[in-house]
Amino acid sequence: MPPEFSHIDHWVFDLDNVLYPSECDLFSLIDIKMGQYIAQMLDCDIGEARKVQKAYFHDHGTTLAGLMHHHGIDPHEFLDFVHDIDMSRLSHAPDLHSAIAALPGEKLVFTNGDKPYAERVLENRGLGGLFDQIHDVLACDLVPKPETAAYHSLVKTTGIDPKRSLFVEDMARNLRPAKDLGMTTIWVNTGSEWGARDHAPHFIDHEIPDLESWITGLQTNKENVTS
């Protein structure tokens, strides 16, 4: 490991747009499903449903959190509905698998999705069984990133030491609470407006264009991060 990562015992990864390329754009499929769910629930057209969806995502961290707050929906029903998508956009990533497997220490997934969805994504990427723990939004008592309580739940439930942990995430704002706890933070800058929202250099230790090229480079101590 390069010196700046030699202290890391716990490697924590966000799921979407991190453990698969953002070009796969699974979220566009989930986005359609969320719009359908909201349109049916509010008996409105898709255009109005999309406005509601984006407002809740911005104000509450996830669309689900907004729907629960304003409408008291059943989160399990919602998650089952929106995650029922075609995974054929994903392909196996043997180099990524080898690079993650070679990391010294524990590997975890920390996601605002639920565990069944995360497991489907990992299987379709050829990463099934690679991670020691998956900490999902249900394990966080439905409190999503970037709420501070979600990160305390991660630490308490998984037993990781934040100061010996590294967190990789494509949503810049989700790195602030991790940094506050003492984690080393890696921002996957996909170029999206949502991903860069609330970006600030003081809570981002390294910026990378994608996970696979960066993490495979670590194995040969190549420098491909911007500090």
Side-chain angles (χ1 to χ4, degrees), residues 49-67:
R50 183 171 178 80
K51 291 178 183 178
V52 171
Q53 174 192 342
K54 296 308 177 185
Y56 288 171
F57 176 79
H58 176 68
D59 294 340
H60 297 274
T62 64
T63 302
L64 171 59
L67 289 170

Side-chain angles (χ1 to χ4, degrees), residues 19-73:
L19 290 171
Y20 62 82
S22 61
E23 291 78 15
C24 293
D25 199 17
L26 282 189
F27 190 76
S28 66
L29 302 178
I30 297 172
D31 199 52
I32 291 170
K33 298 283 284 187
M34 287 194 290
Q36 293 172 347
Y37 184 96
I38 294 170
Q40 293 170 10
M41 181 190 69
L42 298 181
D43 192 21
C44 66
D45 62 34
I46 290 296
E48 182 61 29
R50 183 171 178 80
K51 291 178 183 178
V52 171
Q53 174 192 342
K54 296 308 177 185
Y56 288 171
F57 176 79
H58 176 68
D59 294 340
H60 297 274
T62 64
T63 302
L64 171 59
L67 289 170
M68 291 176 60
H69 177 80
H70 293 284
H71 306 283
I73 68 161

Side-chain angles (χ1 to χ4, degrees), residues 5-23:
F5 305 122
S6 61
H7 67 291
I8 300 299
D9 291 329
H10 314 285
W11 303 81
V12 185
F13 301 90
D14 177 42
L15 180 73
D16 291 306
N17 299 325
V18 171
L19 290 171
Y20 62 82
S22 61
E23 291 78 15

Side-chain angles (χ1 to χ4, degrees), residues 70-87:
H70 293 284
H71 306 283
I73 68 161
D74 179 347
H76 301 279
E77 177 186 273
F78 174 82
L79 291 168
D80 288 345
F81 182 85
V82 303
H83 288 153
D84 183 18
I85 59 170
D86 179 11
M87 295 280 179

